[in-house]
């Protein structure tokens, strides 16, 4: 699943639309781990929460897009880069799903949803998103070989 939707005056981004005031936390937590992330266009830095950084195999919670994507299924890299590039050029809502290939070869599904804003304004803009990690791994009996 790869999707980007441009926003316009008829469908503006809702400030705080990804705020953490959802009342279904317990149900969501039963099936997945979810954490927000932010990206700053002016610096190119993406800031993750602690669990997301660990699940992405990162030592620190701050990284660039290519470092973030290093663990993603190589077949998805091109499409995810396209989505982030489009979101960086115009305020948009976007989503994608991929698989994190863990160092032990197992696969962890990942869903990402987010929105970008501010590029058209006088400042550089930013992204806000949420990662959802379902509480299961796929192909747990068969390690996956990473593509170089």
């Amino acid at each position: 699943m790869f999707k980007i939707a441009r926003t316009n005056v008829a469908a503006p981004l809702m400030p705080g639309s990804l705020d953490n005031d959802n009342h279904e936390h317990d149900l969501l937590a039963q099936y997945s781990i979810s954490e927000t992330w932010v990206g700053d266009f002016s610096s190119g830095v993406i800031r993750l929460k602690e669990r997301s950084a660990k699940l992405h195999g990162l030592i620190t919670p701050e990284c660039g897009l290519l470092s973030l994507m290093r663990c993603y299924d190589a077949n998805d890299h091109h499409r995810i880069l396209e989505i982030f590039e489009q979101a960086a050029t115009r305020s948009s809502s976007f989503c994608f799903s991929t698989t994190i290939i863990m160092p032990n070869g197992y696969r962890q599904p990942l869903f990402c949803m987010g929105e970008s804003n501010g590029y058209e304004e006088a400042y550089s803009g930013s992204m806000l998103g949420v990662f959802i990690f379902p509480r299961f791994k796929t192909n747990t009996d068969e390690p996956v070989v990473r593509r170089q």
Side-chain angles (χ1 to χ4, degrees):
M1 167 181 60
F2 302 94
K3 180 70 175 168
I4 188 157
R6 300 208 189 276
T7 59
N8 57 34
V9 177
L13 292 174
M14 302 295 292
S17 60
L18 294 176
D19 282 347
N20 208 12
D21 61 357
N22 184 349
H23 300 290
E24 305 281 338
H25 287 293
D26 293 337
L27 184 59
L28 183 61
Q30 179 179 342
Y31 298 110
S32 65
I33 296 168
S34 61
E35 288 189 334
T36 58
W37 58 269
V38 296
D40 182 347
F41 292 158
S42 64
S43 66
V45 172
I46 297 172
R47 288 178 186 82
L48 310 176
K49 302 283 175 135
E50 185 178 347
R51 272 190 167 166
S52 292
K54 286 180 183 177
L55 287 168
H56 278 86
L58 299 169
I59 296 169
T60 66
E62 293 185 347
C63 64
L65 180 58
L66 296 180
S67 295
L68 178 75
M69 291 179 44
R70 189 179 337 219
C71 63
Y72 293 174
D73 185 325
N75 294 319
D76 297 335
H77 285 189
H78 178 72
R79 295 290 307 271
I80 295 169
L81 281 172
E82 247 178 25
I83 285 174
F84 274 97
E85 183 178 284
Q86 290 176 33
T89 59
R90 185 165 183 196
S91 293
S92 308
S93 295
F94 59 89
C95 63
F96 65 85
S97 64
T98 189
T99 303
I100 291 177
I101 301 175
M102 310 284 254
N104 62 5
Y106 295 133
R107 297 171 160 261
Q108 171 63 56
L110 165 70
F111 300 97
C112 177
M113 294 167 278
E115 58 188 23
S116 63
N117 60 48
Y119 185 81
E120 299 91 351
E121 306 296 327
Y123 55 95
S124 294
S126 62
M127 289 184 180
L128 172 65
V130 63
F131 288 125
I132 300 173
F133 304 92
R135 289 189 180 274
F136 60 85
K137 295 180 182 76
T138 59
N139 300 334
T140 56
D141 294 332
E142 301 175 18
V144 175
V145 177
R146 291 184 79 172
R147 289 186 181 181
Q148 297 294 343

